[in-house]
Amino acid sequence: MLFDTFQYWVFFAGALLLLAMLRDHPAKIALVVLSFVFYGFWDWRFCLLLAGSIAANYFFGRAIDAREGASRKRAVALAVAFNLAVLAFFKYANFFVDSFAALFGLDPSGMLLNIVLPVGISFFTFEGIAYAVDIYRRQLKAVRDPVDFSLFISFFPHLVAGPIIRPMDFFPQLAQRPAITSEDSRWGMREILKGLIKKVALANWFAPIADAWYSGGQYDGAAVPAYAGVLAFSMQIYFDFSGYTDIARGCARLLGYRFPPNFERPYLSANITEFWRRWHISLSFWLRDYLYISLGGNRVSVPRMYLNLLIVMGLGGLWHGASWNFAVWGLYHGFLLIGHRLWRRFVEARGIAGFVDAKWFAPVWVAFTFVIVTLGWIPFRAPDFASSWNTLSALFAPQDPAFALAHPALWGVPLVTLAFCLVDRDRRVQDWLTQRASLPVAALAGALALLFLELFAQVETQVPFVYFQF
């Protein structure tokens, strides 16, 4: 089920009604069952994999918690190896076969496996690894209640595309079922409507423009220029993924649970380091806490620290998909992060940090960061290296502005979004609607959001959420 379908909202309304009639523990059992029903809508066989992952990680957690010394280390190594093996088989087996065949000039057709990629496998395997490592580091005790642990892994709002929930953030919420307040209800509905607008009205409008460029097709009877295709995908992936996160957080809040933010207006970042603190925050923190720090983090020599950054970002790129294009995208960001660190060392050593960081100069850095991030989306979206190179080459050829003039939303939506972010810099308007606005005013805001969806929703085509493939 997709968040932008009528089918999902019937399912969600039924879930709210059922949970309202149940007490604490039966409600958690019902949520686990509902989560498996939700997951089974893609393919019921995936439920077997999900159940197996839950059972294995539950017992791994108990085993790690009960051991000391070398035995404890072996237990956590086995837990991590199990999760990585599951991920490697289902997501990367054919990628490894293709790469091996290309390296030795072999025909891979007879070696490829008929494997269906389970939806959300990258997310729930990472959560299993985080759980095992947190127990090993003694930051968490193993969960004894299998229902609580099952809910942590399978909870349907975040199951297929995150955010990646940290065990220490989620398990304390299971101790006592909170009452849903008026503020919770308003906040949840606000996030759901905001997410639907981002996805159905904005991301789905940009998607066919990006698809037309990268597939060599047309949009609205016209060829799409390179700048339009590249900009369209940059807008699509932000509105698509942040819209999913908004809906997921809103649904979780209405069910009585809180998810951490996963996006903090990343396209307003003044540098690439700040961008990764604002973009896909749960993955950034996961890579930092469970991979970068494990490799030595900032405690090693400077060359080794830079190598660690490249390893982490390269693997983070591959996490997104079984393609060398994703690895290139990750390494590109790794080199950008290294470049930013070298730049900061340079400006601080020259004593010009005050000038570089001046407020009047900030728009220049925001624009520069947006450009380099948008260029980085090219290998992320392009089907292969040849398409990536052709897109880059086309960007440096003379550009025809006619397409942008014919479709003013291409540049109008980013500008209006920017203006809104500047006006509501601290989210005061949004928080006011949630916390202090009268009920009629809040209802009017909701009605206007629904009217916007009615006028601008792209209902004629169904565009899957981008991150469902990861």
Side-chain angles (χ1 to χ4, degrees), residues 379-449:
F380 190 97
R381 175 59 181 84
D384 48 45
F385 289 147
S387 179
S388 298
W389 181 251
N390 290 338
T391 299
L392 280 171
S393 301
L395 284 175
F396 290 97
Q399 302 292 315
D400 183 1
F403 187 89
L405 295 175
H407 303 282
L410 182 68
W411 48 269
V413 169
L415 290 178
V416 170
T417 305
L418 173 61
F420 174 78
C421 290
L422 293 176
V423 170
D424 193 22
R425 184 185 301 273
D426 299 319
R427 292 185 174 85
R428 293 181 181 178
V429 174
Q430 297 179 58
D431 291 342
W432 175 77
L433 284 170
T434 299
Q435 300 168 3
R436 295 183 297 278
S438 65
L439 183 59
V441 172
L444 177 61
L448 291 175

Side-chain angles (χ1 to χ4, degrees), residues 231-420:
L231 177 60
F233 183 72
S234 185
M235 292 294 103
Q236 178 198 352
I237 193 168
Y238 168 70
F239 286 124
D240 188 285
F241 194 19
S242 67
Y244 174 92
T245 300
D246 291 341
I247 298 170
R249 296 181 74 208
C251 289
R253 188 73 163 260
L254 292 177
L255 292 167
Y257 299 91
R258 300 190 178 209
F259 288 171
N262 210 23
F263 291 88
E264 287 291 347
R265 298 176 175 176
Y267 285 163
L268 297 182
S269 303
N271 57 68
I272 195 65
T273 302
E274 184 183 350
F275 172 81
W276 278 104
R277 294 193 188 112
R278 294 167 170 249
W279 176 274
H280 203 346
I281 298 169
S282 62
L283 176 63
S284 298
F285 284 1
W286 194 99
L287 292 173
R288 181 198 67 187
D289 294 345
Y290 301 105
L291 185 53
Y292 184 69
I293 290 177
S294 298
L295 290 172
N298 297 331
R299 304 184 306 275
V300 295
S301 64
V302 172
R304 176 60 189 275
M305 180 179 64
Y306 292 159
L307 177 62
N308 289 345
L309 266 177
L310 290 177
I311 292 172
V312 168
M313 297 307 296
L315 292 176
L318 279 176
W319 174 87
H320 285 82
S323 165
W324 288 114
N325 266 39
F326 289 112
V328 168
W329 172 77
L331 290 171
Y332 169 79
H333 276 275
F335 280 111
L336 289 179
L337 289 168
I338 292 172
H340 179 248
R341 293 192 179 197
L342 292 173
W343 166 249
R344 292 307 304 178
R345 290 178 63 186
F346 172 80
V347 298
E348 289 168 8
R350 295 296 185 276
I352 58 174
F355 170 77
V356 170
D357 297 335
K359 287 186 177 181
W360 63 268
F361 215 29
V364 175
W365 297 124
V366 171
F368 176 73
T369 304
F370 175 75
V371 169
I372 60 176
V373 168
T374 297
L375 291 175
W377 290 128
I378 294 173
F380 190 97
R381 175 59 181 84
D384 48 45
F385 289 147
S387 179
S388 298
W389 181 251
N390 290 338
T391 299
L392 280 171
S393 301
L395 284 175
F396 290 97
Q399 302 292 315
D400 183 1
F403 187 89
L405 295 175
H407 303 282
L410 182 68
W411 48 269
V413 169
L415 290 178
V416 170
T417 305
L418 173 61
F420 174 78

